[in-house]
Amino acid sequence: MSLRRSSSFPAAHDGAASPSSPGVFTKVFRRLSIRRKSSLDRRKNSINTYNLDHLFNEVGRKISNASRDSLPTIENEALFRGLLRSLLHPLGTPDSEIGLRPGDLVDHLRQVFAIDQDDHEYFIREEAKNKPTKIQVCATVIEARNLKVADKPPKVQSECNPYCILTIVNPTKNSRYSPIASPKVSPRSSPRNSPLPSRRHLPPRSSSQDYGSDVLRSQTARGFAQPKWNEEFYLEIEDLLTDELHVCFFSQDSDVIHQENKHPDKGGNFLKSFFRNVLASSSDHDKYIPGCIGRIVVPVRDIATNSVDRWMNVFPVGPVSARTKPVGQCRVRLAISYMQSGACFSVEDYHQVSLIHHKHAVKINTDCTDSALLLSPQSRRILDTFAIGNRISKLSQSILDLTVLLELVASPEKEIQCLSDTVLHKSLEEVQMTWLAMQACGQELTQRMPLSDSEICLYRTGARNYISSLTSKLHELPSLFPPSAESLVTLKGSLGLAIHLLELDLWDSSSSTQNELADKLLQKLQSDIDLWMTEKLQEVYSHKKVKDSVIPEMKSLTESIRSLASHCSPLGVITKFYGPLGVKYYRVVAFRTERKLSTTAREMMLEMDKYMVRYHNFPVNIAQSSRHSLALYFAIRKFYLLIKEGLTDRDMFRLTISQYQRWFQESLVFWLQTFKTECMTRMEKALEIDKDVVLVTSLVKFSNSSVDVLSCFAKITQEWREIDFKDPDSVVMGVTKITDLICDGARLYADKIHTILERNCYYDQQEEQFDVNDRLCITLNNIEHVRQYLNHLPELLEWEEVGQSQSARHEDAKIGRQSLTTLKRLTTTANQDILMKSSFLLREIAVKMKTNIQKLMDMFIVKTPAKVSAVDKTIGYLSTNLQTLDDRLMTSIYPKMIEELWEVVLQIFYEQMQIGQKPDYYEHMKRHLGALTTFFLSCGLEEKLVQGAAEAQLRARIHLNCQQTGILMQEYFQGLANGMSTPPEYLGHLAIKAAYVEETKGMVTIGVKVMRASDLPGLDNSGLSDPYVLMNLQPPNLFHNVKPVRTKVVEKTLNPIFNESFQFPNIPSSLLTEPGACILFSVLDHDYMVSDDFAGEVALNISALHPIRDEEYLDSTPVVMMPLKRPQHVADGAFQVLEERSSWDKEAKAFVTDRLKYIINQPRRQGKNSQNSFFSFFGLGT
């Protein structure tokens, strides 16, 4: 904000400089006052008996006729006479308060100027004759409210834009008066809400004007509800006792304005007729004036000497009585002053008067610290009266008073220097409050509160002298560093006022006052910083005589840097105080301290590196030195980050401390080694505390050991993030070491848990009932809790960012990916190892529960299988233990525990289920298995885990045992015919043709032709065989009336040629699609003395046969080559079920007996067979 302006106030017209007579409209206005002349004359005569007459008479009696030349010369006589004149002839109504009456003020003025009583009486007699002749009223129309127009509705009134007309009327000189029409609107536009103040002065009278020059008009305000003008008008006063100020309010959109715009050439005649209406309205009868809202009438004699500022009622034009209601209110500020062409004093004169009064106040006040006693009320009233009378603004008055106080404080006189800063602050606050108050109506302060060049020059001189006096005393101030509350309070008390003075925008850009103060302050700050740093470094090097002094020196240096960092934390109060002075406090501290600090810290780390190398085989020394060096690193890093916030990139480039991480490059490896040692030690202690895995409370899910281990891991990762190394290679090395450290710690913790369990005989066999308890749950949770921390390492240690920074450093993406692969491999391996330990413990829990589960499952598997509720006890036992597991185990362990229990239940079910029972028994087993399956699904086991391999095997076994014997035989032959597995031993091939012919009544005839066999096994001692082929339709339950057929025996050969055809007539066509229906070709070796030997067999599905017509021959059917196989005895499947039920099922027994002949009777090959005999079948043998 600015108080300056380029020019002084515009001069007011004195009303007597023009030789022309008053205008026509002025005469009309003054005629309005004739009717009130007699009453005003009577009042004038009473006022002439003013209370100062007794003073004049008394002076007249005492003053001798001696010549004035005999009086001594009086300093500042002109100022004294002017002040005396303003008190003897007050401009307006004087104050009647005791002590502030004109006579009291005159006596006080004599004391201030130290005038002799006789001289004082002489001056009174002289100045009593010099009455002011050229005075004026300053009327400021600020705003109005609640204006009303009688002849218009409210809606129309809101669209009106009011303005006002001001004039001075003397009722005693004219019987009729009229306010002349306003002059043209000022070309300066007025803002809508808060117009800038403007001053209107009387222009020189001119005969060419159509209206009187003593009538002024305001600009038109926007809005009728609360119009604002904030305009100043200066009107000449001819008679202080009888003149009246009239302020009339009009609406711009009235018919008057319309007619004026319509007939501009007849404006003079129109205004005469208009004010004729105003004259008529002032008579005893009411008459309406178009466009006139109302007016304010203020007698000039009622205006107080110290100005008036209040809301006044606006009454309609016409007679006003006690019952007349106002049509609105207007805020008006009124003051009376001398015209500039009269006896006016300048701001320099006011400055001198204020200086005299303040000096007098200081001399008579014994307690200079009391600001209320600095100026007496009489001196304050005299100064205000002097300022108002000479048109010195309130802002100029406060600025000049402040200047006087600054001059007094900077004065070499000791009596005056006792003024306290409180007095100066009060005066400065007065300037600021005046400034803000005058800002309320606008933003461009220079147009509203102008200051002359003289005022600014006086202020600069006084402020400069005051600041210079403070600058010379800076060495007496307390230390500026380190900052403290006490020193800051002292600085504010000493320099606070100077800062506020510099903040006022009254200085040139080339002013050196601020620079001089800033330079002196900067020099003291730098000196204090150097002194503090010297003391701290002396403390650091005070341990030189100690063995391995680097340890205590580093501890002392760390404490010093921490102290320095605490002083470098930016405080708003420090920045706010030094900022206006141009001193960047924290920047100066940073540059003044970092160079010495960097040199000392770098030298200290070189000594520490030597110490660590010397004691690298001693873990205690390494741990101690690592902790001290790490503490120093963190202290330097904190200091660096603090000063970095207030410096630019250019400043940071100049700092040596920005390379601080290089000083600790060698110590990084020892830090990581210390991390690992402390982690393992803490883990051992944590396990010793709860070595028996004792439960703390029933709600605790983890023991203290796991919490301590994870706290150790978190501390390591947190410290690594705080280290925040920037070198990519060092970061990769550190992250890899820390990841490996945490993985090893997690593995070690799991191993320790298992060791404790073994020591407590947990894995030993126990015969009593086993129930899951909180102890086991907490043990499992501990291991899982620690393991899960490994999954957060990529985020905690920022693996991705580390890999990217390394790739960018070496400009090769492959290097970063390799680092990530290494880190992932470390955590994956550790996860697998820990999960293996957890799985082992879960398996042991399931095994311990197996004994109880077996006893319970025996109830529904063996004892009472037909009882539906027999499975409930098993489910109840499982439910109780699973509920405990669900409540106590972590969510990641519980599914694994259920899975282990499900495997145990399936294993027991499979082992205890009886064999060879009737299908009804297995139907009960199927129902019980379904109940267990539903229970485990409800407990949260995934469906895909429920339907695993073990469950499928058990369900398939139950399903087979539920089948009838015939169905089982069909399944057996279906598996035999569809078997695609390669036989373990090559037994040769059989070439056949097969088809069927449809007959009547849904019957078919199956035709078979056996072509030849090749590479059959030699079953005789000679190495040859006597083979033949036996054919029958299987299974017996489908073809019980079909007899088998056979070929002839071909002796002494391994590649027999049969070429024989056979038919199976009257076969139902429905059997062609029956599962398991097949033609069984059995190749046998004919023996005469003993039973025939079995060489192999081939099963051909009947559903694979093709139909042929009657006229077609079987020879047209393609040959099918099928390898010979020997059936094997399997432990499961349909044949096993048939074999198990042979004890009570005759059909199954017969089938098993028949098939066992071929399964058991499988003689070995005799002699050597040609390996190429397969190809000899096609004539390709050698």
Side-chain angles (χ1 to χ4, degrees):
M1 48 185 183
S2 175
L3 301 176
R4 303 173 59 187
R5 70 176 180 89
S6 58
S7 61
S8 303
F9 286 93
H13 182 55
D14 58 3
S18 176
S20 60
S21 61
V24 177
F25 301 139
T26 303
K27 295 178 180 180
V28 173
F29 267 112
R30 292 178 177 174
R31 290 194 187 100
L32 297 175
S33 306
I34 294 177
R35 297 183 180 183
R36 300 175 59 187
K37 180 177 180 181
S38 59
S39 62
L40 291 177
D41 287 341
R42 289 192 300 270
R43 184 170 182 177
K44 179 177 179 181
N45 294 331
S46 64
I47 292 176
N48 286 335
T49 61
Y50 186 64
N51 56 1
L52 288 181
D53 288 347
H54 72 282
L55 178 64
F56 297 155
N57 297 331
E58 183 70 17
V59 172
R61 287 192 299 268
K62 293 182 179 181
I63 292 295
S64 64
N65 295 327
S67 173
R68 176 69 185 89
D69 297 335
S70 63
L71 294 177
T73 303
I74 299 176
E75 186 179 3
N76 300 312
E77 180 179 343
L79 293 178
F80 176 76
R81 284 177 174 270
L83 291 171
L84 185 62
R85 188 185 312 118
S86 64
L87 297 178
L88 295 176
H89 308 286
L91 302 181
T93 303
D95 202 330
S96 60
E97 182 181 352
I98 298 176
L100 299 179
R101 294 173 298 185
D104 300 332
L105 297 180
V106 168
D107 293 339
H108 180 74
L109 184 64
R110 182 188 68 80
Q111 298 175 7
V112 171
F113 279 82
I115 304 298
D116 182 74
Q117 183 65 32
D118 294 339
D119 296 340
H120 184 58
E121 293 173 354
Y122 172 80
F123 288 134
I124 292 176
R125 187 63 178 240
E126 289 291 318
E127 295 302 328
K129 305 174 183 178
N130 299 330
K131 295 183 178 181
T133 57
K134 297 181 180 181
I135 58 176
Q136 61 186 0
V137 61
C138 174
T140 304
V141 182
I142 302 175
E143 57 182 332
R145 63 187 179 188
N146 303 328
L147 294 179
K148 301 176 184 178
V149 180
D151 60 335
K152 292 186 179 181
K155 185 176 181 180
V156 178
Q157 291 181 14
S158 62
E159 300 176 356
C160 298
N161 298 320
Y163 65 95
C164 53
I165 296 177
L166 296 88
T167 188
I168 294 293
V169 175
N170 193 326
T172 63
K173 296 182 180 180
N174 300 289
S175 61
R176 305 173 68 184
Y177 76 99
S178 172
I180 302 177
S182 62
K184 295 182 180 180
V185 180
S186 173
R188 295 172 55 190
S189 60
S190 175
R192 182 173 182 177
N193 294 325
S194 180
L196 298 176
S198 61
R199 294 189 173 96
R200 303 291 181 84
H201 304 277
L202 294 176
R205 298 177 183 265
S206 173
S207 59
S208 61
Q209 273 187 295
D210 296 332
Y211 45 83
S213 59
D214 53 351
V215 178
L216 300 178
R217 172 185 169 175
S218 72
Q219 298 180 4
T220 303
R222 299 292 180 88
F224 194 79
Q226 292 182 341
K228 296 182 180 181
W229 294 279
N230 196 35
E231 296 184 58
E232 292 181 354
F233 303 91
Y234 289 90
L235 297 169
E236 181 183 357
I237 301 174
E238 294 183 356
D239 191 334
L240 182 63
L241 300 178
T242 59
D243 283 355
E244 296 178 347
L245 172 66
H246 286 231
V247 183
C248 300
F249 296 88
F250 296 88
S251 176
Q252 188 181 35
D253 57 345
S254 62
D255 296 337
V256 175
I257 301 302
H258 176 72
Q259 294 178 9
E260 183 179 354
N261 295 335
K262 186 175 180 181
H263 306 286
D265 54 334
K266 300 180 181 181
N269 296 329
F270 166 73
L271 290 174
K272 289 180 180 180
S273 61
F274 170 70
F275 286 116
R276 210 172 287 121
N277 293 331
V278 177
L279 176 63
S281 66
S282 301
S283 61
D284 294 337
H285 62 277
D286 296 337
K287 186 175 182 180
Y288 171 70
I289 301 177
C292 183
I293 301 173
R295 66 179 174 180
I296 296 174
V297 179
V298 180
V300 175
R301 65 180 176 274
D302 292 342
I303 300 175
T305 55
N306 57 340
S307 75
V308 176
D309 185 351
R310 68 170 184 265
W311 288 89
M312 299 182 180
N313 291 329
V314 180
F315 291 96
V317 177
V320 178
S321 63
R323 297 183 179 182
T324 305
K325 295 182 179 181
V327 294
Q329 287 183 322
C330 180
R331 182 185 172 190
V332 182
R333 184 185 301 117
L334 302 175
I336 302 176
S337 62
Y338 300 107
M339 299 183 66
Q340 285 190 349
S341 59
C344 272
F345 290 93
S346 64
V347 293
E348 290 85 352
D349 298 328
Y350 178 86
H351 171 263
Q352 186 64 28
V353 171
S354 178
L355 180 62
I356 295 172
H357 278 271
H358 279 86
K359 283 185 177 182
H360 175 263
V362 171
K363 291 179 180 179
I364 64 174
N365 290 334
T366 57
D367 186 7
C368 298
T369 60
D370 190 355
S371 61
L373 299 178
L374 183 58
L375 275 185
S376 63
Q378 292 84 358
S379 294
R380 185 76 270 167
R381 178 57 58 87
I382 291 173
L383 291 176
D384 292 342
T385 303
F386 183 81
I388 293 173
N390 294 278
R391 295 172 57 188
I392 298 174
S393 67
K394 186 66 176 177
L395 178 63
S396 301
Q397 188 179 356
S398 59
I399 285 286
L400 294 173
D401 290 342
L402 174 62
T403 303
V404 167
L405 290 175
L406 294 175
E407 292 175 351
L408 292 177
V409 173
S411 173
E413 301 178 19
K414 295 184 178 180
E415 296 81 3
I416 299 178
Q417 285 181 347
C418 66
L419 283 174
S420 67
D421 291 338
T422 306
V423 178
L424 297 177
H425 283 288
K426 289 277 187 181
S427 181
L428 180 61
E429 289 177 2
E430 180 68 21
V431 173
Q432 294 172 341
M433 294 302 296
T434 304
W435 186 311
L436 294 176
M438 299 184 71
Q439 261 186 321
C441 299
Q443 297 179 354
E444 297 184 15
L445 193 59
T446 56
Q447 299 183 25
R448 304 177 63 90
M449 300 188 306
L451 292 177
S452 64
D453 293 339
S454 300
E455 296 165 350
I456 295 175
C457 183
L458 289 172
Y459 168 79
R460 288 178 181 174
T461 303
R464 186 181 296 110
N465 293 335
Y466 172 76
I467 295 174
S468 298
S469 65
L470 294 180
T471 304
S472 61
K473 300 177 183 179
L474 282 179
H475 63 280
E476 301 175 1
L477 296 176
S479 177
L480 303 183
F481 186 86
S484 63
E486 294 78 7
S487 63
L488 186 60
V489 170
T490 304
L491 285 175
K492 284 185 176 181
S494 301
L495 303 179
L497 183 65
I499 294 175
H500 292 307
L501 294 175
L502 292 173
E503 287 177 346
L504 292 179
D505 190 15
L506 295 174
W507 302 89
D508 289 335
S509 58
S510 59
S511 177
S512 60
T513 304
Q514 179 175 351
N515 296 334
E516 293 176 1
L517 179 60
D519 291 342
K520 291 290 184 180
L521 199 63
L522 180 61
Q523 292 176 6
K524 178 171 176 53
L525 176 60
Q526 292 174 343
S527 176
D528 294 341
I529 294 173
D530 292 342
L531 181 61
W532 186 86
M533 285 296 298
T534 302
E535 294 176 356
K536 290 297 181 181
L537 293 180
Q538 287 177 354
E539 295 178 5
V540 170
Y541 289 111
S542 62
H543 305 278
K544 283 296 183 182
K545 297 181 180 181
V546 181
K547 176 64 176 177
D548 295 328
S549 61
V550 66
I551 299 296
E553 288 176 356
M554 183 166 288
K555 292 174 60 177
S556 179
L557 180 61
T558 302
E559 293 299 326
S560 299
I561 296 176
R562 288 173 179 171
S563 176
L564 177 60
S566 65
H567 299 321
C568 292
S569 299
L571 298 176
V573 63
I574 297 291
T575 305
K576 186 177 180 180
F577 177 78
Y578 285 94
L581 297 175
V583 177
K584 297 181 179 179
Y585 183 88
Y586 292 105
R587 182 177 182 274
V588 174
V589 173
F591 276 97
R592 206 69 182 179
T593 58
E594 73 88 20
R595 190 168 299 278
K596 293 183 179 180
L597 177 64
S598 301
T599 303
T600 305
R602 186 166 58 249
E603 294 175 354
M604 193 78 65
M605 283 311 302
L606 291 176
E607 294 297 325
M608 180 58 73
D609 293 340
K610 296 177 183 179
Y611 176 88
M612 289 183 173
V613 172
R614 186 165 60 251
Y615 291 97
H616 70 279
N617 291 326
F618 302 93
V620 176
N621 296 61
I622 295 299
Q624 181 186 21
S625 59
S626 296
R627 277 300 166 193
H628 289 318
S629 61
L630 186 59
L632 177 62
Y633 174 86
F634 283 140
I636 294 177
R637 183 173 183 271
K638 181 180 180 181
F639 172 71
Y640 172 76
L641 294 178
L642 285 174
I643 65 175
K644 182 180 179 181
E645 295 178 359
L647 300 179
T648 62
D649 294 339
R650 184 181 180 88
D651 292 337
M652 295 304 300
F653 181 76
R654 297 169 53 191
L655 294 180
T656 307
I657 200 173
S658 59
Q659 306 296 326
Y660 71 98
Q661 289 188 346
R662 296 182 180 179
W663 312 338
F664 299 88
Q665 196 76 35
E666 299 296 331
S667 299
L668 179 60
V669 178
F670 295 100
W671 294 349
L672 298 176
Q673 180 180 345
T674 303
F675 288 167
K676 185 173 184 179
T677 303
E678 293 180 351
C679 179
M680 298 306 172
T681 303
R682 184 171 178 179
M683 188 183 303
E684 292 284 350
K685 292 181 179 179
L687 288 171
E688 288 177 1
I689 293 174
D690 59 350
K691 58 184 178 181
D692 294 328
V693 199
V694 178
L695 181 66
V696 180
T697 64
S698 60
L699 299 178
V700 174
K701 288 191 174 183
F702 315 113
S703 68
N704 293 330
S705 62
S706 65
V707 176
D708 288 344
V709 170
L710 291 184
S711 299
C712 183
F713 292 166
K715 182 180 179 181
I716 292 174
T717 55
Q718 177 64 27
E719 285 189 347
W720 175 252
R721 288 198 300 269
E722 291 177 357
I723 290 174
D724 192 24
F725 252 68
K726 301 301 182 183
D727 180 60
D729 294 334
S730 299
V731 172
V732 170
M733 183 270 292
V735 170
T736 305
K737 289 285 187 181
I738 291 176
T739 302
D740 187 45
L741 183 158
I742 294 176
C743 290
D744 288 344
R747 271 194 295 260
L748 179 61
Y749 181 79
D751 292 338
K752 293 290 184 180
I753 290 290
H754 281 277
T755 302
I756 293 174
L757 293 175
E758 287 179 356
R759 188 169 61 242
N760 291 313
C761 304
Y762 173 75
Y763 297 123
D764 296 343
Q765 294 295 330
Q766 299 176 359
E767 296 182 357
E768 64 273 7
Q769 180 175 341
F770 178 82
D771 291 315
V772 176
N773 53 28
D774 292 335
R775 171 186 172 185
L776 289 176
C777 294
I778 291 178
T779 303
L780 290 168
N781 287 341
N782 286 341
I783 299 175
E784 182 65 16
H785 194 200
V786 173
R787 186 196 68 82
Q788 286 186 351
Y789 190 84
L790 303 180
N791 300 328
H792 300 292
L793 289 180
E795 180 181 355
L796 293 174
L797 299 178
E798 300 177 346
W799 286 2
E800 292 293 336
E801 291 79 358
V802 169
Q804 292 175 2
S805 62
Q806 191 180 31
S807 298
R809 170 69 176 274
H810 297 280
E811 298 181 354
D812 188 355
K814 184 178 179 181
I815 296 178
R817 290 195 298 267
Q818 289 176 350
S819 299
L820 291 178
T821 303
T822 302
L823 294 172
K824 291 177 182 178
R825 184 175 66 252
L826 291 174
T827 54
T828 301
T829 304
N831 266 313
Q832 292 174 353
D833 294 343
I834 298 173
L835 287 175
M836 187 181 300
K837 295 289 184 181
S838 298
S839 300
F840 180 76
L841 182 56
L842 292 174
R843 195 174 302 112
E844 287 296 327
I845 295 175
V847 169
K848 285 182 174 295
M849 296 176 64
K850 184 177 180 180
T851 303
N852 298 329
I853 296 174
Q854 283 177 339
K855 294 178 181 179
L856 296 172
M857 292 182 67
D858 186 70
M859 299 293 295
F860 66 86
I861 295 178
V862 180
K863 296 180 180 179
T864 56
K867 189 176 180 180
V868 178
S869 60
V871 75
D872 292 346
K873 290 186 177 181
T874 303
I875 294 177
Y877 173 76
L878 292 173
S879 177
T880 301
N881 287 276
L882 287 176
Q883 184 63 41
T884 303
L885 292 171
D886 188 23
D887 293 339
R888 297 291 183 256
L889 285 181
M890 295 179 64
T891 55
S892 58
I893 307 177
Y894 179 70
K896 299 176 183 178
M897 188 68 244
I898 298 179
E899 185 179 355
E900 291 289 343
L901 283 177
W902 176 240
E903 295 294 335
V904 170
V905 169
L906 291 178
Q907 182 183 359
I908 296 173
F909 206 123
Y910 195 88
E911 292 174 352
Q912 289 189 347
M913 189 174 61
Q914 300 181 18
I915 61 175
Q917 298 296 319
K918 294 183 179 181
D920 293 342
Y921 170 82
Y922 296 102
E923 290 291 343
H924 297 315
M925 295 299 103
K926 182 186 294 186
R927 184 171 59 252
H928 295 324
L929 179 61
L932 291 173
T933 302
T934 304
F935 168 74
F936 274 92
L937 287 173
S938 65
C939 289
L941 186 61
E942 296 182 8
E943 186 174 357
K944 64 179 181 178
L945 297 177
V946 172
Q947 300 174 356
E951 191 270 345
Q953 183 182 3
L954 177 60
R955 191 172 294 278
R957 180 183 171 190
I958 296 175
H959 174 74
L960 286 175
N961 281 276
C962 291
Q963 301 298 324
Q964 299 297 325
T965 301
I967 301 299
L968 292 174
M969 290 189 292
Q970 288 180 236
E971 289 189 9
Y972 173 77
F973 281 108
Q974 185 176 6
L976 195 64
N978 295 335
M980 301 298 294
S981 61
T982 303
E985 183 181 3
Y986 180 66
L987 302 174
H989 282 74
L990 181 65
I992 59 175
K993 292 183 179 183
Y996 68 90
V997 178
E998 295 181 358
E999 304 291 348
T1000 60
K1001 297 181 180 181
M1003 297 295 182
V1004 297
T1005 298
I1006 298 176
V1008 178
K1009 184 177 182 179
V1010 181
M1011 302 296 295
R1012 63 171 64 181
S1014 64
D1015 200 19
L1016 297 177
L1019 301 179
D1020 293 338
N1021 293 331
S1022 60
L1024 299 176
S1025 296
D1026 302 324
Y1028 70 92
V1029 180
L1030 177 65
M1031 294 163 285
N1032 54 14
L1033 300 182
Q1034 294 291 350
N1037 63 314
L1038 297 179
F1039 304 99
H1040 53 277
N1041 294 324
V1042 179
K1043 296 181 179 181
V1045 295
R1046 54 177 290 181
T1047 65
K1048 62 183 179 180
V1049 178
V1050 180
E1051 297 180 351
K1052 309 299 181 182
T1053 182
L1054 298 178
N1055 298 292
I1057 298 175
F1058 300 104
N1059 287 330
E1060 294 186 46
S1061 298
F1062 305 93
Q1063 290 184 349
F1064 297 96
N1066 300 323
I1067 303 298
S1069 60
S1070 60
L1071 297 180
L1072 295 176
T1073 58
E1074 190 70 24
C1078 64
I1079 306 173
L1080 185 63
F1081 299 88
S1082 300
V1083 179
L1084 302 172
D1085 175 35
H1086 177 70
D1087 290 327
Y1088 292 98
M1089 301 300 294
V1090 294
S1091 61
D1092 297 339
D1093 296 326
F1094 177 65
E1097 64 184 3
V1098 172
L1100 178 64
N1101 278 322
I1102 295 178
S1103 60
L1105 301 182
H1106 297 283
I1108 58 174
R1109 293 189 297 269
D1110 292 340
E1111 61 275 11
E1112 292 181 347
Y1113 296 97
L1114 192 59
D1115 291 338
S1116 62
T1117 304
V1119 176
V1120 179
M1121 291 286 295
M1122 301 183 69
L1124 294 179
K1125 298 181 180 180
R1126 287 179 176 180
Q1128 302 296 322
H1129 193 287
V1130 294
D1132 56 359
F1135 185 79
Q1136 178 67 23
V1137 175
L1138 290 170
E1139 189 175 11
E1140 290 171 353
R1141 66 172 57 175
S1142 297
S1143 60
W1144 57 270
D1145 191 341
K1146 294 181 180 180
E1147 183 181 8
K1149 182 178 181 180
F1151 175 78
V1152 170
T1153 302
D1154 180 66
R1155 290 304 298 167
L1156 286 177
K1157 293 188 300 181
Y1158 299 102
I1159 296 174
I1160 297 174
N1161 184 18
Q1162 296 181 3
R1164 299 183 64 182
R1165 187 190 299 268
Q1166 300 294 327
K1168 297 181 179 180
N1169 293 337
S1170 172
Q1171 297 298 325
N1172 297 325
S1173 58
F1174 171 75
F1175 300 100
S1176 65
F1177 179 83
F1178 300 97
L1180 301 175
T1182 54

